[in-house]
Amino acid sequence: MNLVIINHDYHYELENLVRLFFPNEKIEVTKEKNGEERFVLTELQKEENGAKISVLLGFDEIFSGEEEHSFSEKLSDETEESFLERKIAQLLFKLLKRATGYTPPWGILTGVRPAKLMTKLSSSWGEERAKEYFSKELYVSDEKISLASSVAKKEQPIIEKSKKNSFSLYVSIPFCPTRCSYCSFVSHSNESAKKLMPDYVKLLCKEIEETGKIAKSLSLNLESVYIGGGTPTALTADFLKDVTDAIGKNFNIGENCEYTIEAGRPDSVTDEKFEVIKKSGAKRISINPQTFSDSVLEAIGRKHTCAMTEKAMLMAREHGFKNINMDLIAGLPTDTFESFQTTLSKTLSFEPENITVHTLALKRSSTLVTEEKEKGSAAEAQRMLSFAFETLTKNGYEPYYMYRQSKCLGNLENVGWAKKGYECRYNVYMMEECHTVLACGAGAVTKLRSPVSGVIERIFNFKYPYEYISRFDELLERKKRILEFYEEL
């Protein structure tokens, strides 16, 4: 499909909008029509006090629209450019909706953090006007407005716990038992990367030690620890203990510090590993079924079964874990609305303290995309999310954090649900960028946040384990920037 942009530079926003309606099509952005039979042509003609905008869709039939807008219509804190971008996006959205018969529930809102925008607007205008803007200007559905508002309110008391000298620690374990078809993370299956683990763990512990020294020298206060991946429990029990011992030795994990370790793949956990986690002081873990359909698990390349998930949950409870998260994904290949209903019902039977409901994201480097495998549909995924919203609310769960990824089916969302008092603070701190996150391991990204201006600066670790190992000294040099950043405040 050809997306033509004439006399404007809003190609990023408009391409994202077109992709909502045509997620599986290749979109070529050009300044003039390139001969493709299917095209979207957008044009802006600026005038002294406003502009004329036009959109032409060429599909099985032609759809067109033209509007004139004056800058007197723009919001008081809105620039002329953002006003024009919003207006051409609105016209394009209305025509795409008419052409396809599909109405994306988030309207033209394509940002990663909808709740953050709701908080900002509510603070400036009041909650009712913020909701009205979501509805009338962004075309967001009532259900999603309610979700964004609920998450915004739930996040606030957690955000307020973050102080000027607060930080969180993230540790990356980029190994998995197998690679899922939808995965694009920097993770390696144990079969191909097992030989890298000894050197990786040794150097990771060294990076944790050096990072701990930096945090102590700056008198930073640790609010949360999160060991993720990949699958941390893809490590052997001994290697996992090495990592947790390094954290315990080099960071002050106080009574109020939240500590999470992902034990995500049910086929990667053992009694011995649960004991390591327990002794580390981590009280929150994740066990992620994604689905309770064995046929769907097979379709996405997971090597565990539903029975293994049940066994892992029972084992975790026997080891005394009282704060467990379970991840589900809406829109998985071959999954149906009925089997998703079964999945959610089975998940609730374990009474987990947290349930995170993700939407399938069609990542470019995943085998789901590169091998052109069967994909879920946006409409079906939305049915699943609506069902989850209703069911989880009825069962005493509240949405406390939310984010969206690029290329999610239907521009839909990922939502963390929790029983009261079990909200994961790290998830909120990370998504809302409340404070610095010091990150260790391959693919990890340190996010330095100025407590004065709120400006974010990132330090990227090397992506792949072999690169992390071979260029480790260079990585440590990069981390000296943390000290410089705080000295410049």
Side-chain angles (χ1 to χ4, degrees):
M1 182 184 299
N2 181 203
L3 170 59
V4 188
I5 58 169
I6 301 174
N7 298 330
H8 67 84
D9 293 316
Y10 311 139
H11 57 89
Y12 179 79
E13 182 71 18
L14 299 190
E15 182 181 354
N16 282 340
L17 273 181
V18 175
R19 203 176 297 283
L20 295 186
F21 294 85
F22 302 99
N24 301 322
E25 287 202 35
K26 182 180 179 181
I27 300 170
E28 183 179 0
V29 182
T30 62
K31 294 288 187 180
E32 57 185 33
K33 198 170 178 304
N34 67 1
E36 287 276 354
E37 288 186 11
R38 292 165 63 79
F39 66 88
V40 175
L41 191 150
T42 65
E43 185 171 2
L44 176 71
Q45 294 180 1
K46 289 188 178 179
E47 299 171 348
E48 185 176 352
N49 296 310
K52 180 186 290 185
I53 60 176
S54 61
V55 175
L56 179 68
L57 309 184
F59 300 144
D60 296 331
E61 58 181 298
I62 299 294
F63 298 84
S64 64
E66 187 175 282
E67 296 176 352
E68 289 191 44
H69 292 282
S70 166
F71 289 134
S72 62
E73 303 169 39
K74 74 180 184 68
L75 302 172
S76 59
D77 58 349
E78 191 174 33
T79 66
E80 291 181 359
E81 285 299 313
S82 60
F83 168 73
L84 293 176
E85 181 179 47
R86 177 164 59 85
K87 286 302 175 184
I88 200 168
Q90 287 174 338
L91 179 56
L92 175 59
F93 182 86
K94 287 183 282 191
L95 290 175
L96 286 169
K97 189 172 75 166
R98 191 194 314 167
T100 63
Y102 173 59
T103 304
W106 283 104
I108 66 169
L109 183 57
T110 58
V112 173
R113 300 174 177 87
K116 191 170 188 175
L117 178 61
M118 179 64 80
T119 297
K120 178 184 175 182
L121 295 181
S122 295
S123 176
S124 300
W125 303 343
E127 183 182 355
E128 288 311 307
R129 189 180 168 198
K131 287 182 175 180
E132 183 179 0
Y133 178 80
F134 265 61
S135 176
K136 293 184 177 180
E137 299 297 334
L138 302 180
Y139 304 153
V140 179
S141 72
D142 290 344
E143 179 187 291
K144 300 307 182 188
I145 292 172
S146 175
L147 175 61
S149 179
S150 296
V151 170
K153 290 175 183 176
K154 200 71 179 174
E155 285 180 335
Q156 276 311 113
I158 297 173
I159 292 171
E160 289 168 4
K161 291 179 181 179
S162 176
K163 308 304 179 186
K164 285 186 177 181
N165 68 332
S166 292
F167 82 103
S168 291
L169 174 68
Y170 177 79
V171 176
S172 169
I173 308 297
F175 304 104
C176 278
T178 59
R179 187 180 177 92
C180 299
S181 65
Y182 54 78
C183 182
S184 67
F185 286 127
V186 184
S187 57
H188 293 258
S189 65
N190 280 9
E191 290 88 344
S192 63
K194 198 170 185 178
K195 62 185 179 183
L196 298 175
M197 284 187 184
D199 287 340
Y200 180 82
V201 170
K202 179 181 178 181
L203 292 176
L204 176 61
C205 291
K206 177 65 175 175
E207 186 186 5
I208 290 168
E209 179 184 354
E210 294 302 316
T211 304
K213 289 177 183 177
I214 293 171
K216 286 176 183 176
S217 71
L218 295 170
S219 299
L220 299 180
N221 183 59
L222 185 60
E223 298 285 350
S224 64
V225 178
Y226 197 103
I227 305 181
T231 305
T233 45
L235 296 177
T236 65
D238 286 340
F239 282 150
L240 184 60
K241 184 176 185 299
D242 288 342
V243 174
T244 57
D245 283 353
I247 294 170
K249 181 179 178 181
N250 293 287
F251 289 89
N252 181 23
I253 302 176
E255 184 64 30
N256 294 321
C257 179
E258 177 187 81
Y259 193 165
T260 301
I261 298 180
E262 289 187 353
R265 296 283 286 263
D267 49 340
S268 71
V269 297
T270 62
D271 283 309
E272 191 178 7
K273 291 176 188 179
F274 276 135
E275 276 303 301
V276 169
I277 295 172
K278 192 75 176 175
K279 289 177 180 177
S280 74
K283 292 182 170 62
R284 184 178 183 275
I285 62 171
S286 289
I287 295 173
N288 303 330
Q290 314 299 28
T291 175
F292 275 101
S293 166
D294 282 335
S295 63
V296 176
L297 287 170
E298 184 176 356
I300 63 176
R302 302 277 280 202
K303 298 303 181 184
H304 68 84
T305 62
C306 299
M308 289 180 186
T309 302
E310 184 168 358
K311 181 180 178 182
M313 281 296 296
L314 293 174
M315 193 188 307
R317 292 300 193 196
E318 287 171 359
H319 281 271
F321 288 101
K322 298 177 181 179
N323 191 353
I324 301 178
N325 173 73
M326 298 181 78
D327 275 8
L328 308 177
I329 300 179
L332 287 171
T334 76
D335 204 4
T336 65
F337 177 68
E338 291 73 23
S339 61
F340 182 83
Q341 287 179 302
T342 300
T343 287
L344 189 56
S345 176
K346 183 67 174 176
T347 301
L348 287 169
S349 73
F350 296 108
E351 300 183 353
E353 286 68 31
N354 286 197
I355 298 175
T356 307
V357 183
H358 297 272
T359 301
L360 179 68
L362 302 175
K363 295 297 186 179
R364 184 173 56 189
S365 60
S366 67
T367 58
L368 190 62
V369 173
T370 60
E371 297 179 11
E372 299 183 347
K373 296 181 178 181
E374 180 182 347
K375 305 170 183 66
S377 78
E380 194 78 342
Q382 175 51 39
R383 285 186 72 198
M384 294 172 181
L385 292 184
S386 294
F387 175 75
F389 183 97
E390 180 182 354
T391 304
L392 290 171
T393 300
K394 286 180 179 178
N395 282 273
Y397 292 85
E398 296 177 296
Y400 74 95
Y401 95 108
M402 169 174 57
Y403 69 101
R404 296 190 299 172
Q405 297 167 277
S406 64
K407 299 184 180 178
C408 264
L409 288 177
N411 195 33
L412 295 169
E413 69 278 358
N414 307 308
V415 181
W417 296 80
K419 293 180 179 178
K420 191 171 183 178
Y422 287 96
E423 300 82 8
C424 176
R425 302 203 310 268
Y426 173 83
N427 286 334
V428 175
Y429 295 148
M430 188 67 176
M431 280 303 122
E432 301 308 316
E433 299 178 321
C434 307
H435 58 227
T436 286
V437 176
L438 301 182
C440 300
V445 180
T446 289
K447 295 170 76 172
L448 303 174
R449 183 186 186 276
S450 167
V452 179
S453 66
V455 168
I456 301 288
E457 183 177 323
R458 291 170 173 79
I459 301 173
F460 295 86
N461 280 10
F462 296 111
K463 281 188 175 182
Y464 303 103
Y466 69 86
E467 193 178 18
Y468 177 89
I469 293 167
S470 64
R471 303 176 68 180
F472 185 75
D473 290 342
E474 187 179 340
L475 179 151
L476 291 186
E477 281 297 311
R478 289 184 184 184
K479 301 204 87 161
K480 291 180 180 178
R481 174 58 192 157
I482 301 170
L483 289 168
E484 295 171 359
F485 179 87
Y486 277 93
E487 286 169 0
E488 291 168 5
L489 293 180

CSV table of all heavy atoms in Angstrom, one decimal, residues 172 174-175 186 188 192-207 235 239 441-443 461-476:
chain,number,residue,atom,x,y,z
A,172,SER,N,18.9,-8.3,33.5
A,172,SER,CA,18.4,-9.0,32.4
A,172,SER,C,19.0,-10.4,32.2
A,172,SER,O,20.3,-10.5,32.3
A,172,SER,CB,18.7,-8.2,31.1
A,172,SER,OG,18.5,-9.0,29.9
A,174,PRO,N,19.0,-13.0,29.4
A,174,PRO,CA,18.5,-13.2,28.0
A,174,PRO,C,18.5,-14.6,27.5
A,174,PRO,O,19.0,-14.9,26.4
A,174,PRO,CB,19.5,-12.3,27.2
A,174,PRO,CG,20.7,-12.5,28.0
A,174,PRO,CD,20.4,-12.6,29.4
A,175,PHE,N,18.0,-15.5,28.3
A,175,PHE,CA,18.0,-16.9,27.9
A,175,PHE,C,16.6,-17.5,28.1
A,175,PHE,O,15.9,-17.1,29.0
A,175,PHE,CB,19.0,-17.8,28.7
A,175,PHE,CG,20.4,-17.3,28.6
A,175,PHE,CD1,21.0,-16.6,29.6
A,175,PHE,CD2,21.1,-17.5,27.4
A,175,PHE,CE1,22.3,-16.2,29.6
A,175,PHE,CE2,22.4,-17.1,27.4
A,175,PHE,CZ,23.0,-16.4,28.4
A,186,VAL,N,15.7,-9.9,22.9
A,186,VAL,CA,17.1,-10.4,22.8
A,186,VAL,C,17.2,-11.6,23.7
A,186,VAL,O,17.8,-11.5,24.8
A,186,VAL,CB,18.1,-9.3,23.1
A,186,VAL,CG1,19.5,-9.8,22.9
A,186,VAL,CG2,17.8,-8.1,22.3
A,188,HIS,N,17.9,-16.0,23.9
A,188,HIS,CA,18.5,-17.1,23.2
A,188,HIS,C,18.0,-18.4,23.8
A,188,HIS,O,18.0,-18.5,25.0
A,188,HIS,CB,20.0,-17.1,23.1
A,188,HIS,CG,20.5,-15.9,22.4
A,188,HIS,ND1,21.0,-16.1,21.1
A,188,HIS,CD2,20.6,-14.6,22.7
A,188,HIS,CE1,21.4,-14.9,20.6
A,188,HIS,NE2,21.2,-14.0,21.6
A,192,SER,N,21.1,-23.3,22.1
A,192,SER,CA,22.1,-22.7,21.3
A,192,SER,C,23.0,-21.8,22.2
A,192,SER,O,24.1,-21.5,21.7
A,192,SER,CB,21.4,-21.8,20.3
A,192,SER,OG,20.6,-20.8,20.9
A,193,ALA,N,22.6,-21.4,23.4
A,193,ALA,CA,23.4,-20.4,24.1
A,193,ALA,C,23.9,-21.0,25.5
A,193,ALA,O,24.5,-20.2,26.2
A,193,ALA,CB,22.5,-19.2,24.4
A,194,LYS,N,23.7,-22.2,25.7
A,194,LYS,CA,24.1,-22.8,27.0
A,194,LYS,C,25.6,-22.6,27.3
A,194,LYS,O,26.0,-22.3,28.4
A,194,LYS,CB,23.7,-24.3,27.1
A,194,LYS,CG,23.7,-24.9,28.5
A,194,LYS,CD,23.2,-26.3,28.4
A,194,LYS,CE,23.0,-26.8,29.8
A,194,LYS,NZ,22.4,-28.2,29.8
A,195,LYS,N,26.4,-22.7,26.3
A,195,LYS,CA,27.8,-22.5,26.5
A,195,LYS,C,28.2,-21.1,26.9
A,195,LYS,O,29.3,-20.9,27.4
A,195,LYS,CB,28.5,-22.9,25.2
A,195,LYS,CG,28.2,-22.0,24.0
A,195,LYS,CD,28.9,-22.5,22.7
A,195,LYS,CE,28.5,-21.7,21.5
A,195,LYS,NZ,29.0,-22.2,20.3
A,196,LEU,N,27.3,-20.1,26.6
A,196,LEU,CA,27.6,-18.7,27.0
A,196,LEU,C,27.3,-18.4,28.5
A,196,LEU,O,27.8,-17.4,29.0
A,196,LEU,CB,26.8,-17.8,26.1
A,196,LEU,CG,27.1,-17.8,24.6
A,196,LEU,CD1,26.1,-16.9,23.9
A,196,LEU,CD2,28.5,-17.4,24.3
A,197,MET,N,26.5,-19.3,29.1
A,197,MET,CA,26.0,-19.0,30.4
A,197,MET,C,27.1,-18.7,31.5
A,197,MET,O,27.0,-17.8,32.2
A,197,MET,CB,25.0,-20.0,30.9
A,197,MET,CG,23.6,-19.9,30.2
A,197,MET,SD,22.5,-21.1,31.0
A,197,MET,CE,21.1,-20.8,29.9
A,198,PRO,N,28.1,-19.6,31.6
A,198,PRO,CA,29.1,-19.4,32.6
A,198,PRO,C,29.8,-18.0,32.5
A,198,PRO,O,29.9,-17.3,33.6
A,198,PRO,CB,30.1,-20.5,32.4
A,198,PRO,CG,29.3,-21.6,31.7
A,198,PRO,CD,28.3,-20.9,30.9
A,199,ASP,N,30.2,-17.6,31.4
A,199,ASP,CA,30.9,-16.3,31.2
A,199,ASP,C,29.9,-15.2,31.4
A,199,ASP,O,30.2,-14.2,32.0
A,199,ASP,CB,31.5,-16.2,29.8
A,199,ASP,CG,32.8,-17.1,29.7
A,199,ASP,OD1,33.3,-17.4,30.7
A,199,ASP,OD2,33.2,-17.4,28.6
A,200,TYR,N,28.7,-15.4,30.9
A,200,TYR,CA,27.7,-14.4,31.0
A,200,TYR,C,27.3,-14.1,32.5
A,200,TYR,O,27.3,-12.9,32.9
A,200,TYR,CB,26.4,-14.7,30.3
A,200,TYR,CG,25.3,-13.7,30.4
A,200,TYR,CD1,25.3,-12.6,29.5
A,200,TYR,CD2,24.3,-13.7,31.3
A,200,TYR,CE1,24.4,-11.6,29.6
A,200,TYR,CE2,23.3,-12.7,31.5
A,200,TYR,CZ,23.4,-11.7,30.6
A,200,TYR,OH,22.4,-10.7,30.7
A,201,VAL,N,27.1,-15.1,33.2
A,201,VAL,CA,26.7,-14.9,34.6
A,201,VAL,C,27.9,-14.3,35.4
A,201,VAL,O,27.7,-13.4,36.3
A,201,VAL,CB,26.3,-16.3,35.3
A,201,VAL,CG1,26.2,-16.1,36.8
A,201,VAL,CG2,25.0,-16.7,34.7
A,202,LYS,N,29.1,-14.7,35.1
A,202,LYS,CA,30.3,-14.2,35.8
A,202,LYS,C,30.4,-12.7,35.6
A,202,LYS,O,30.6,-11.9,36.5
A,202,LYS,CB,31.6,-14.9,35.3
A,202,LYS,CG,32.8,-14.4,35.9
A,202,LYS,CD,34.0,-15.1,35.4
A,202,LYS,CE,35.4,-14.6,35.9
A,202,LYS,NZ,36.5,-15.3,35.4
A,203,LEU,N,30.2,-12.3,34.3
A,203,LEU,CA,30.4,-10.8,34.0
A,203,LEU,C,29.2,-10.0,34.5
A,203,LEU,O,29.3,-8.9,34.9
A,203,LEU,CB,30.6,-10.7,32.5
A,203,LEU,CG,31.9,-11.2,32.0
A,203,LEU,CD1,32.0,-11.0,30.5
A,203,LEU,CD2,33.1,-10.4,32.6
A,204,LEU,N,28.0,-10.7,34.4
A,204,LEU,CA,26.8,-10.0,35.0
A,204,LEU,C,27.0,-9.7,36.4
A,204,LEU,O,26.6,-8.6,36.9
A,204,LEU,CB,25.6,-10.9,34.8
A,204,LEU,CG,24.2,-10.3,35.3
A,204,LEU,CD1,23.9,-9.0,34.7
A,204,LEU,CD2,23.1,-11.4,35.1
A,205,CYS,N,27.5,-10.6,37.2
A,205,CYS,CA,27.7,-10.4,38.6
A,205,CYS,C,28.7,-9.2,38.8
A,205,CYS,O,28.6,-8.4,39.8
A,205,CYS,CB,28.2,-11.6,39.3
A,205,CYS,SG,27.0,-12.9,39.4
A,206,LYS,N,29.7,-9.1,37.9
A,206,LYS,CA,30.7,-8.1,38.0
A,206,LYS,C,30.0,-6.7,37.7
A,206,LYS,O,30.2,-5.7,38.4
A,206,LYS,CB,31.8,-8.3,37.0
A,206,LYS,CG,32.8,-7.2,36.9
A,206,LYS,CD,33.6,-7.1,38.2
A,206,LYS,CE,34.7,-6.0,38.0
A,206,LYS,NZ,35.5,-5.8,39.3
A,207,GLU,N,29.1,-6.7,36.7
A,207,GLU,CA,28.4,-5.5,36.4
A,207,GLU,C,27.5,-5.1,37.5
A,207,GLU,O,27.4,-3.9,37.9
A,207,GLU,CB,27.6,-5.6,35.1
A,207,GLU,CG,26.9,-4.3,34.7
A,207,GLU,CD,26.0,-4.4,33.5
A,207,GLU,OE1,25.7,-5.6,33.0
A,207,GLU,OE2,25.5,-3.4,33.1
A,235,LEU,N,18.2,-20.2,33.7
A,235,LEU,CA,19.5,-20.5,34.4
A,235,LEU,C,19.5,-21.7,35.3
A,235,LEU,O,18.4,-22.0,35.8
A,235,LEU,CB,20.0,-19.3,35.2
A,235,LEU,CG,20.3,-17.9,34.5
A,235,LEU,CD1,20.6,-16.9,35.5
A,235,LEU,CD2,21.4,-18.1,33.5
A,239,PHE,N,23.6,-20.9,38.9
A,239,PHE,CA,23.8,-19.6,38.3
A,239,PHE,C,22.8,-18.6,38.8
A,239,PHE,O,23.2,-17.4,39.0
A,239,PHE,CB,23.7,-19.8,36.8
A,239,PHE,CG,24.9,-20.4,36.1
A,239,PHE,CD1,24.8,-21.2,34.9
A,239,PHE,CD2,26.2,-20.2,36.6
A,239,PHE,CE1,25.9,-21.7,34.3
A,239,PHE,CE2,27.3,-20.8,36.0
A,239,PHE,CZ,27.1,-21.5,34.8
A,441,GLY,N,23.0,-6.3,32.4
A,441,GLY,CA,22.8,-7.5,31.5
A,441,GLY,C,22.6,-7.1,30.1
A,441,GLY,O,22.4,-6.0,29.7
A,442,ALA,N,22.7,-8.2,29.2
A,442,ALA,CA,22.6,-8.0,27.8
A,442,ALA,C,21.2,-7.4,27.4
A,442,ALA,O,20.2,-8.0,27.9
A,442,ALA,CB,22.8,-9.3,27.1
A,443,GLY,N,21.1,-6.4,26.6
A,443,GLY,CA,19.9,-5.9,26.1
A,443,GLY,C,19.3,-4.9,27.1
A,443,GLY,O,18.2,-4.3,26.8
A,461,ASN,N,23.1,-1.1,27.0
A,461,ASN,CA,24.0,-2.3,27.1
A,461,ASN,C,24.0,-3.0,25.7
A,461,ASN,O,23.1,-2.8,25.0
A,461,ASN,CB,23.7,-3.3,28.2
A,461,ASN,CG,24.1,-2.8,29.5
A,461,ASN,OD1,24.6,-1.7,29.7
A,461,ASN,ND2,24.0,-3.7,30.5
A,462,PHE,N,25.1,-3.7,25.5
A,462,PHE,CA,25.1,-4.5,24.2
A,462,PHE,C,24.0,-5.5,24.2
A,462,PHE,O,23.6,-6.1,25.2
A,462,PHE,CB,26.5,-5.2,24.0
A,462,PHE,CG,27.6,-4.2,23.9
A,462,PHE,CD1,28.5,-4.1,24.9
A,462,PHE,CD2,27.7,-3.3,22.8
A,462,PHE,CE1,29.5,-3.1,24.8
A,462,PHE,CE2,28.7,-2.4,22.7
A,462,PHE,CZ,29.6,-2.3,23.7
A,463,LYS,N,23.4,-5.7,23.0
A,463,LYS,CA,22.2,-6.5,22.9
A,463,LYS,C,22.4,-8.0,23.2
A,463,LYS,O,21.6,-8.6,23.9
A,463,LYS,CB,21.5,-6.3,21.5
A,463,LYS,CG,20.8,-5.1,21.3
A,463,LYS,CD,20.0,-5.1,20.0
A,463,LYS,CE,19.1,-3.9,19.9
A,463,LYS,NZ,18.4,-3.9,18.6
A,464,TYR,N,23.4,-8.6,22.5
A,464,TYR,CA,23.5,-10.0,22.5
A,464,TYR,C,24.5,-10.5,23.5
A,464,TYR,O,25.5,-9.9,23.8
A,464,TYR,CB,23.9,-10.5,21.1
A,464,TYR,CG,22.9,-10.0,20.0
A,464,TYR,CD1,23.2,-9.0,19.2
A,464,TYR,CD2,21.7,-10.6,19.9
A,464,TYR,CE1,22.3,-8.5,18.3
A,464,TYR,CE2,20.8,-10.2,19.0
A,464,TYR,CZ,21.1,-9.1,18.1
A,464,TYR,OH,20.2,-8.7,17.2
A,465,PRO,N,24.2,-11.7,24.1
A,465,PRO,CA,25.1,-12.2,25.1
A,465,PRO,C,26.6,-12.3,24.7
A,465,PRO,O,27.5,-12.0,25.4
A,465,PRO,CB,24.6,-13.6,25.5
A,465,PRO,CG,23.1,-13.5,25.2
A,465,PRO,CD,23.0,-12.6,24.0
A,466,TYR,N,26.8,-12.8,23.5
A,466,TYR,CA,28.2,-12.9,23.0
A,466,TYR,C,28.9,-11.5,22.9
A,466,TYR,O,30.1,-11.4,23.2
A,466,TYR,CB,28.3,-13.6,21.6
A,466,TYR,CG,27.7,-12.9,20.5
A,466,TYR,CD1,28.5,-12.0,19.7
A,466,TYR,CD2,26.4,-13.1,20.1
A,466,TYR,CE1,28.0,-11.3,18.7
A,466,TYR,CE2,25.8,-12.3,19.0
A,466,TYR,CZ,26.6,-11.4,18.3
A,466,TYR,OH,26.1,-10.7,17.3
A,467,GLU,N,28.1,-10.5,22.5
A,467,GLU,CA,28.6,-9.2,22.4
A,467,GLU,C,28.9,-8.6,23.8
A,467,GLU,O,29.9,-7.9,24.0
A,467,GLU,CB,27.7,-8.3,21.6
A,467,GLU,CG,28.2,-7.0,21.1
A,467,GLU,CD,27.3,-6.2,20.3
A,467,GLU,OE1,26.1,-6.5,20.3
A,467,GLU,OE2,27.7,-5.2,19.6
A,468,TYR,N,27.9,-8.9,24.7
A,468,TYR,CA,28.0,-8.4,26.1
A,468,TYR,C,29.3,-9.0,26.7
A,468,TYR,O,30.1,-8.3,27.4
A,468,TYR,CB,26.8,-8.9,26.9
A,468,TYR,CG,26.8,-8.6,28.3
A,468,TYR,CD1,26.3,-7.5,28.8
A,468,TYR,CD2,27.3,-9.5,29.2
A,468,TYR,CE1,26.2,-7.2,30.2
A,468,TYR,CE2,27.3,-9.3,30.6
A,468,TYR,CZ,26.8,-8.1,31.1
A,468,TYR,OH,26.7,-7.9,32.4
A,469,ILE,N,29.6,-10.2,26.4
A,469,ILE,CA,30.8,-10.9,26.9
A,469,ILE,C,32.1,-10.3,26.3
A,469,ILE,O,33.1,-9.9,27.0
A,469,ILE,CB,30.8,-12.4,26.7
A,469,ILE,CG1,29.6,-13.0,27.6
A,469,ILE,CG2,32.1,-13.1,27.0
A,469,ILE,CD1,29.2,-14.4,27.2
A,470,SER,N,32.1,-10.2,25.0
A,470,SER,CA,33.4,-9.8,24.3
A,470,SER,C,33.7,-8.3,24.5
A,470,SER,O,34.8,-7.9,24.3
A,470,SER,CB,33.3,-10.1,22.8
A,470,SER,OG,32.2,-9.3,22.2
A,471,ARG,N,32.7,-7.5,24.8
A,471,ARG,CA,32.9,-6.0,24.9
A,471,ARG,C,32.6,-5.5,26.3
A,471,ARG,O,32.2,-4.3,26.4
A,471,ARG,CB,32.1,-5.3,23.8
A,471,ARG,CG,32.4,-5.8,22.4
A,471,ARG,CD,31.5,-5.1,21.4
A,471,ARG,NE,31.7,-3.7,21.2
A,471,ARG,CZ,31.1,-2.9,20.4
A,471,ARG,NH1,30.1,-3.4,19.6
A,471,ARG,NH2,31.4,-1.6,20.3
A,472,PHE,N,32.8,-6.3,27.2
A,472,PHE,CA,32.3,-6.0,28.6
A,472,PHE,C,33.1,-4.8,29.2
A,472,PHE,O,32.4,-3.9,29.8
A,472,PHE,CB,32.6,-7.2,29.5
A,472,PHE,CG,32.0,-7.0,30.9
A,472,PHE,CD1,30.7,-7.0,31.2
A,472,PHE,CD2,32.9,-6.7,32.0
A,472,PHE,CE1,30.2,-6.8,32.5
A,472,PHE,CE2,32.4,-6.5,33.3
A,472,PHE,CZ,31.0,-6.5,33.5
A,473,ASP,N,34.3,-4.6,28.9
A,473,ASP,CA,35.1,-3.5,29.4
A,473,ASP,C,34.5,-2.2,28.9
A,473,ASP,O,34.4,-1.2,29.6
A,473,ASP,CB,36.6,-3.6,29.1
A,473,ASP,CG,37.3,-4.7,29.9
A,473,ASP,OD1,36.7,-5.1,30.9
A,473,ASP,OD2,38.3,-5.1,29.5
A,474,GLU,N,34.1,-2.2,27.6
A,474,GLU,CA,33.5,-1.0,27.0
A,474,GLU,C,32.2,-0.7,27.6
A,474,GLU,O,31.9,0.5,27.8
A,474,GLU,CB,33.3,-1.3,25.5
A,474,GLU,CG,32.9,-0.1,24.7
A,474,GLU,CD,32.7,-0.4,23.2
A,474,GLU,OE1,33.3,-1.4,22.7
A,474,GLU,OE2,32.0,0.3,22.5
A,475,LEU,N,31.5,-1.7,28.0
A,475,LEU,CA,30.2,-1.5,28.7
A,475,LEU,C,30.4,-0.8,30.0
A,475,LEU,O,29.6,0.1,30.4
A,475,LEU,CB,29.5,-2.9,28.9
A,475,LEU,CG,28.2,-3.0,29.6
A,475,LEU,CD1,27.4,-4.2,29.1
A,475,LEU,CD2,28.3,-3.1,31.1
A,476,LEU,N,31.4,-1.2,30.8
A,476,LEU,CA,31.6,-0.6,32.1
A,476,LEU,C,32.0,0.9,31.9
A,476,LEU,O,31.7,1.7,32.7
A,476,LEU,CB,32.7,-1.3,32.8
A,476,LEU,CG,32.4,-2.7,33.4
A,476,LEU,CD1,33.5,-3.3,34.2
A,476,LEU,CD2,31.1,-2.7,34.2
